[in-house]
């Protein structure tokens, strides 16, 4: 067990929410703070990987600490950290967290996503932490390298990659291009002696399968800089159930059958605690939410609402929703979340779920990428989804695992265990016995 008090006093307020680092953080503490070597970590959801990123930022900022007095002499923008995550929602969430944590010592955080833009690189001169998506960062670095971008690159001392397993996804090309571009620039003669010439790469994931390969690519030393932490570090014990149902004549009818069974599945396992239902499509998420709300209304006493206070709060929140269907669902303690909603509606649903006003939320995989929504029950409705090419494909177990309880570190003591149910059945002509996932 390692105490937060081991850090320089000027950085201790950043970690004011706890007094001691957990097992993973304590094991990595000396490696992260003692040097600027790159590292890659694979650890279960909710095990505290974000704190490892924050410690890497602290290590970068320690160069501005006066050794004699211990004071932090901040020099805005002299050393820059880049944080990349696959979703705007995750970038925005981290921005709010880090503004609250690092803002007290004067560190400047700026978001750069599709919702924001820069007119010139001079806007980033005083930025210390830039939070962005790989696609956006790839775009601006390609288009602006000859318009002041090289000076920005030279100040980059730390590159943090969240959910690094997306390298193997269809969107992984942008992330690979960005990292490769930074590695090439770090070796340019004209940038010799700048922070970029010794840039530190930090990558985290809960499900990356080829940790060693990613570590070697990022230049992390083995074994100290390439660490895998197993299920024994998971803060919430998982109980998994696989429920099989008879196949139907076609996929649309099978999805209807799963919707009909969904209410009983949630009712049997949620124990009046928050529940997430993951669906393969936007329409699937909204239709599942409507089915749950309709069934809850027909029972007389809605099991998703525990009292009059919650009911009144939900009615008030429904008035703030822009989406017409969402306005009708929220008063029944049910909501849905997908890219089809406006940003304000997505934010509303997330806040209602965090505050335990909305009990059941149906979502696409947008919430499986690290957005902090503590849940007791996760239901994966079906094991298939449509690919971009419109061919039906099997959803990988690795994606389903990453869907579950991101992030359960908030209110963790109150959850005391969690459950995951997969509602699925093999199609006609195939065995209904569970098989190894691809």
């Amino acid at each position: 067990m390692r105490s937060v008090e081991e850090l320089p006093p000027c950085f201790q307020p950043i970690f004011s929410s706890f007094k001691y680092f957990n097992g993973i953080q304590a094991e990595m503490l000396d490696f992260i703070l003692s040097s600027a070597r790159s590292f890659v970590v694979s650890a279960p959801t909710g095990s505290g990987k974000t704190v490892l990123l924050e410690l890497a930022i602290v290590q970068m900022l320690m160069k501005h600490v006066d050794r004699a007095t211990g004071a932090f002499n901040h020099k805005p923008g002299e050393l820059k950290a880049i944080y990349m995550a696959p979703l705007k929602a995750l970038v925005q969430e981290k921005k709010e967290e880090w503004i609250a944590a690092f803002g007290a010592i004067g560190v400047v955080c700026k978001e750069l996503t599709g919702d924001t833009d820069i007119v010139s690189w001079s806007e980033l001169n005083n930025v210390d932490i830039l939070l962005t998506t790989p696609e956006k960062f790839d775009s601006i670095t390609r288009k602006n390298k000859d318009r002041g971008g090289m000076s920005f690159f030279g100040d980059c001392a730390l590159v943090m990659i969240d959910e690094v397993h997306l390298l193997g996804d269809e969107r992984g090309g942008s992330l690979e291009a960005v990292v490769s571009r930074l590695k090439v620039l770090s070796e340019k003669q004209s940038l010799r002696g700048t922070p970029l010439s010794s840039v530190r790469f930090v990558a985290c994931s809960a499900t990356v399968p080829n940790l060693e390969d990613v570590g070697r690519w990022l230049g992390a030393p083995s074994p100290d800089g390439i660490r895998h932490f197993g299920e024994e570090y998971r803060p919430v014990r998982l109980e998994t159930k696989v429920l099989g149902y008879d196949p139907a004549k076609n996929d649309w009818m099978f999805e209807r059958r799963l919707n009909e069974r969904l209410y009983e599945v949630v009712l049997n396992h949620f124990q009046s605690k928050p529940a997430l239902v993951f669906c393969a499509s936007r329409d699937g998420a909204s239709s599942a939410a409507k089915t749950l709300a309709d069934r809850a209304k027909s029972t007389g006493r809605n099991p998703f609402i525990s009292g009059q206070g919650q009911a009144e709060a939900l009615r008030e929140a429904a008035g703030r929703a822009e989406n017409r269907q969402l306005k009708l669902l929220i008063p029944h303690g049910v909501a849905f979340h997908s890219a089809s909603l406006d940003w304000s509606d997505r934010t509303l649903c997330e806040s209602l779920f965090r505050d335990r006003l909305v009990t059941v939320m149906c979502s696409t995989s947008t919430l499986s990428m690290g957005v902090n929504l503590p849940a007791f029950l996760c239901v994966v409705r079906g094991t298939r989804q449509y690919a971009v090419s419109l061919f039906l494909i099997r959803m990988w177990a690795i994606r389903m695992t990453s869907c579950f309880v991101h992030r359960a570190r908030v209110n963790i003591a109150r959850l005391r265990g969690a459950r995951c149910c997969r509602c699925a059945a093999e199609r006609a002509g195939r065995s209904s016995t569970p098989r190894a996932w691809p």
Side-chain angles (χ1 to χ4, degrees), residues 243-256:
L243 308 176
Y245 298 105
D246 294 333
K249 293 181 179 180
N250 55 54
D251 299 310
W252 181 78
M253 292 182 66
F254 183 63
E255 185 166 305
R256 282 191 60 184

Side-chain angles (χ1 to χ4, degrees), residues 107-169:
V107 172
V108 179
C109 301
K110 182 176 178 63
E111 172 194 342
L112 186 59
T113 63
D115 294 339
T116 61
D117 209 341
I118 59 170
V119 177
S120 67
W121 284 101
S122 60
E123 295 181 37
L124 302 179
N125 285 344
N126 294 326
V127 173
D128 300 297
I129 305 175
L130 183 67
L131 301 95
T132 182
T133 59
E135 291 84 359
K136 185 64 176 181
F137 195 62
D138 178 35
S139 173
I140 65 164
T141 52
R142 278 189 290 105
K143 295 178 181 178
N144 296 278
K145 64 183 180 65
D146 298 324
R147 289 183 286 175
M150 293 303 287
S151 61
F152 169 83
F153 280 125
D155 295 333
C156 294
L158 174 64
V159 177
M160 299 170 287
I161 306 169
D162 210 349
E163 311 294 343
V164 72
H165 59 270
L166 289 180
L167 270 172
D169 192 78

Side-chain angles (χ1 to χ4, degrees), residues 199-246:
V199 64
R200 180 184 211 177
F201 290 99
V202 175
C204 294
S205 172
T207 58
V208 61
N210 54 335
L211 191 67
E212 292 284 340
D213 294 337
V214 175
R216 283 194 297 269
W217 179 55
L218 295 178
S222 182
D224 293 343
I226 304 175
R227 300 295 301 274
H228 172 75
F229 296 93
E231 289 296 307
E232 65 274 15
Y233 288 92
R234 184 182 289 276
V236 176
R237 179 181 62 84
L238 300 187
E239 175 187 339
T240 304
K241 295 180 182 294
V242 180
L243 308 176
Y245 298 105
D246 294 333

Side-chain angles (χ1 to χ4, degrees), residues 21-94:
F21 295 107
N22 68 18
I24 292 176
Q25 297 155 5
E27 285 195 38
M28 294 294 298
L29 187 63
D30 290 334
F31 177 87
I32 295 174
L33 296 181
S34 63
S35 71
R37 292 177 292 173
S38 300
F39 66 90
V40 180
V41 172
S42 174
T45 295
S47 57
K49 295 186 291 296
T50 297
V51 172
L52 301 183
L53 303 181
E54 293 168 347
L55 287 171
I57 297 173
V58 166
Q59 190 279 332
M60 179 188 76
L61 297 175
M62 283 173 64
K63 298 174 183 177
H64 294 323
V65 175
D66 189 308
R67 294 183 179 274
T69 64
F72 177 55
N73 300 320
H74 184 218
K75 300 176 182 178
E78 186 173 289
L79 296 172
K80 290 182 169 59
I82 310 297
Y83 170 84
M84 287 186 285
L87 294 179
K88 288 190 294 184
L90 184 52
V91 169
Q92 291 160 353
E93 180 184 69
K94 281 291 184 292

Side-chain angles (χ1 to χ4, degrees), residues 358-371:
V358 164
T359 305
V360 184
M361 185 151 68
C362 301
S363 172
T364 57
S365 60
T366 54
L367 289 184
S368 70
M369 305 292 185
V371 178

